[in-house]
Amino acid sequence: MQENEIQQELFKIVKIYLPQDVNEEAIQLDSHLMQDLGINSAHLVDIVLDVEDAFDITLDEKDMEAMQRVRDAIEIVTAKTAP
């Protein structure tokens, strides 16, 4: 899976959990999931579960802690799905 496909899928997943007052155009590579996009910790767990399902990968605690920005999530998924 190419990085742009991973990015598109991640944007779709994150969009589901955006608070109503945050526009989906706010999702950028450098957006901090909690600080910039207003995603709460419970929804962060949901995002991790959705990412695991969407990409058929397992994220450990270290991966979850590293997943602060959208770009971090893309890099983690890219590394985990590399052949």
Side-chain angles (χ1 to χ4, degrees), residues 48-72:
V48 167
L49 295 173
D50 287 355
V51 166
E52 288 180 327
D53 288 345
F55 297 102
D56 195 27
I57 59 174
T58 301
L59 299 171
D60 58 29
E61 194 170 323
K62 186 177 135 189
D63 295 325
M64 290 183 251
E65 289 172 5
M67 200 180 292
Q68 298 291 313
R69 299 184 181 281
V70 175
R71 181 184 310 279
D72 300 332

Side-chain angles (χ1 to χ4, degrees), residues 37-55:
L37 300 178
I39 292 172
N40 65 37
S41 56
H43 283 160
L44 204 51
V45 172
D46 292 333
I47 289 171
V48 167
L49 295 173
D50 287 355
V51 166
E52 288 180 327
D53 288 345
F55 297 102

Side-chain angles (χ1 to χ4, degrees), residues 14 18-19 22 26-28 31-39 70:
V14 170
L18 288 177
V22 178
I27 305 171
Q28 301 295 320
S31 298
H32 190 280
L33 293 168
M34 295 177 87
Q35 293 171 1
D36 297 332
L37 300 178
I39 292 172
V70 175

